[in-house]
Amino acid sequence: MAYRHVFAAILALAAQIPGVAATESPASAATAPPVAAPTIQVDKPLLDNGGTIKVTGQAAPGKPVFLEVWSGKKGSTSFFDTKKDDKTGQIPYKLYKTSELNVLYRIYLPKDKQEMLAKFKADGPSWSYSKALKDTGADVAYKAPAKITIDAYQTSLMASMYGSNGEQLPALDDQEKKRRSMQLIKARFRSVDKLLIAGVDVQPDGSYSAEIKIPAGSPPAQYMVAAVTGKDERSEATVIENRIAFPVMYFENAGASINIVWPFLLTLAVTTFGVLMGAGGGFILNPLLLTFWPLPHTVVAGTAMPTVLFSQASGIYNYNKIKFINWKLGVVLGLAMLGGAFIGPKLTELVSMDQFKFIFGWILIVLCALMFWQTTPGYLAKNKKEQAILNEFKRRAEEAARAKQAGRTQPAN
């Protein structure tokens, strides 16, 4: 009987040694209390054209707290996959599109994740959103975009030439949809700072606080905030309402609200200068809109087209009055523009914002250099025909000015 007492004493001693635990019985495991979901409160439920919200709550002590923030408004975006496959060595040429992407989406992380985020910022445009989520632990909070509908197409540059998205592929499974949604989000928001923010202050007792910023210009919509501490540890989403008022207007396909007074004044100046040079001004307006307002490059390119229509219509009327239009050449050039206008929109959809800016920037540099060269004295002296045209333009302008002046000084009958 003595050996039984010795064996029992050994088991009791083992249970007290750190790192050695007795095997839990099925009955005790079944009755283990579930981990409580974090709580969440906001200091105000209403914003006027953006603002800052203070979020507080309570989570289990020792748990990291993440805040997922997303908008009820949704918009369109696309991602063209041209990255060579490491296994096959082939370029996939697949186009992914959605019209259900949240126009604002970000995850707030504990403040001690700031150093990790800095490393991803240092990677520049090549940073990986999926890797950033995994390495920081924020992947447990990534939920809202994983539910969006994504259309996938097997396409090519040639297919875009005749206005086709390509062959539509079968629906994506949940895992692939989640992966592609991350690529679409990165394509839309691009930078680390717009998607991941180390701003949650977590205390040892599990209480936390953070300041959530809804930027000015965000859509008028409901914004949801949920606290997450683990895969199945998530609070109910709290709702914040954002309102806007004229002259701020929301543009659905751009996913942004803009005070329209400033674009109006900018376009007035650009068009005046553009028509003076025989253009609509769209090539000047395009980069300025991208610089000053949070607009997708695809929307900017499309929006510049009707603005050119208005300026060109008035320009055609006035240039025709002074006989400065060669209609034969104009029709030939117009047919070429018709073809280019059919191809251009599809190509715009297949390039990223950075690629668009790079291409557009170089085109403008080349055009600037060419036009500057054409104004040099050496060029003008060699090109007598162009010099004659400039002199004729100057002569007619002077005659029109004299006629206008004479009309003002002539006494009324």
Side-chain angles (χ1 to χ4, degrees):
M1 299 292 291
Y3 73 88
R4 293 182 180 178
H5 294 291
V6 173
F7 185 66
I10 293 173
L11 287 178
L13 181 62
Q16 298 176 25
I17 298 174
V20 179
T23 304
E24 194 176 45
S25 66
S28 64
T31 57
V35 178
T39 62
I40 187 170
Q41 302 90 33
V42 295
D43 64 339
K44 51 188 173 184
L46 191 63
L47 296 173
D48 288 312
N49 193 20
T52 301
I53 306 149
K54 186 172 183 180
V55 180
T56 56
Q58 181 68 42
K63 287 271 190 177
V65 179
F66 302 91
L67 298 177
E68 185 183 30
V69 184
W70 70 98
S71 66
K73 279 282 189 192
K74 297 184 177 181
S76 302
T77 193
S78 62
F79 170 72
F80 188 39
D81 189 1
T82 57
K83 184 178 179 181
K84 185 180 293 186
D85 190 286
D86 293 334
K87 295 180 180 179
T88 64
Q90 301 294 317
I91 297 177
Y93 289 117
K94 290 183 179 179
L95 176 65
Y96 299 92
K97 300 176 67 175
T98 184
S99 59
E100 298 182 5
L101 189 69
N102 308 95
V103 295
L104 184 142
Y105 183 80
R106 58 189 53 169
I107 297 176
Y108 284 76
L109 295 74
K111 289 183 176 179
D112 60 9
K113 306 290 185 182
Q114 182 62 54
E115 189 175 342
M116 297 181 69
L117 292 183
K119 294 179 181 178
F120 286 99
K121 292 178 189 176
D123 291 338
S126 62
W127 75 283
S128 170
Y129 184 40
S130 59
K131 190 174 189 304
L133 288 173
K134 184 178 180 180
D135 289 358
T136 60
D139 53 341
V140 297
Y142 186 84
K143 184 176 180 180
K147 301 176 181 179
I148 65 177
T149 300
I150 300 174
D151 295 320
Y153 300 88
Q154 182 65 60
T155 187
S156 64
L157 292 176
M158 185 57 67
S160 69
M161 296 296 184
Y162 49 87
S164 171
N165 287 325
E167 178 187 355
Q168 186 161 4
L169 299 173
L172 307 178
D173 59 34
D174 290 343
Q175 184 177 359
E176 183 70 3
K177 184 191 294 185
K178 184 176 181 179
R179 177 184 169 220
R180 297 303 178 181
S181 70
M182 293 178 185
Q183 292 175 326
L184 286 164
I185 281 183
K186 188 193 169 188
R188 175 66 177 88
F189 299 104
R190 299 186 299 280
S191 68
V192 178
D193 290 336
K194 290 184 178 179
L195 289 170
L196 299 170
I197 301 170
V200 183
D201 187 13
V202 185
Q203 300 300 319
D205 64 353
S207 62
Y208 70 89
S209 63
E211 290 189 345
I212 305 297
K213 185 176 181 181
I214 305 299
S218 296
Q222 290 185 334
Y223 292 80
M224 278 63 71
V225 185
V228 184
T229 55
K231 185 176 180 181
D232 300 315
E233 301 160 20
R234 185 183 185 91
S235 73
E236 291 293 328
T238 187
V239 179
I240 301 122
E241 187 82 23
N242 184 47
R243 301 181 303 189
I244 62 172
F246 189 83
V248 177
M249 295 180 64
Y250 175 64
F251 302 98
E252 193 78 34
N253 61 348
S257 300
I258 295 175
N259 185 325
I260 60 171
V261 171
W262 303 115
F264 175 84
L265 295 176
L266 176 67
T267 304
L268 180 64
V270 166
T271 304
T272 302
F273 182 70
V275 172
L276 178 66
M277 297 190 301
F283 72 100
I284 305 173
L285 186 62
N286 196 311
L288 293 178
L289 289 175
L290 287 175
T291 300
F292 296 130
W293 290 282
L295 299 171
H297 67 283
T298 50
V299 173
V300 169
T303 304
M305 297 306 295
T307 63
V308 172
L309 175 64
F310 289 111
S311 63
Q312 292 285 29
S314 59
I316 289 171
Y317 173 76
N318 287 294
Y319 275 120
N320 188 56
K321 284 178 64 176
I322 57 175
K323 309 298 182 184
F324 273 14
I325 296 181
N326 186 312
W327 284 103
K328 291 181 181 179
L329 179 59
V331 169
V332 173
L333 298 179
L335 291 174
M337 287 185 174
L338 184 64
F342 185 77
I343 298 169
K346 298 305 301 179
L347 292 179
T348 301
E349 193 175 51
L350 301 181
V351 299
S352 66
M353 172 71 88
D354 293 334
Q355 291 169 331
F356 181 84
K357 287 183 175 179
F358 179 82
I359 295 169
F360 201 96
W362 273 108
I363 290 174
L364 289 181
I365 289 174
V366 172
L367 287 176
C368 288
L370 181 62
M371 294 183 71
F372 179 78
W373 171 63
Q374 290 177 341
T375 61
T376 57
Y379 176 88
L380 294 175
K382 292 180 180 179
N383 194 328
K384 294 182 179 180
K385 185 176 181 180
E386 184 169 341
Q387 185 70 42
I389 292 174
L390 291 174
N391 289 336
E392 178 66 14
F393 181 83
K394 182 178 179 181
R395 184 186 66 79
R396 293 190 183 188
E398 290 173 349
E399 287 180 355
R402 285 195 295 268
K404 187 175 182 180
Q405 184 65 30
R408 288 179 180 176
T409 56
Q410 185 176 359
N413 293 330

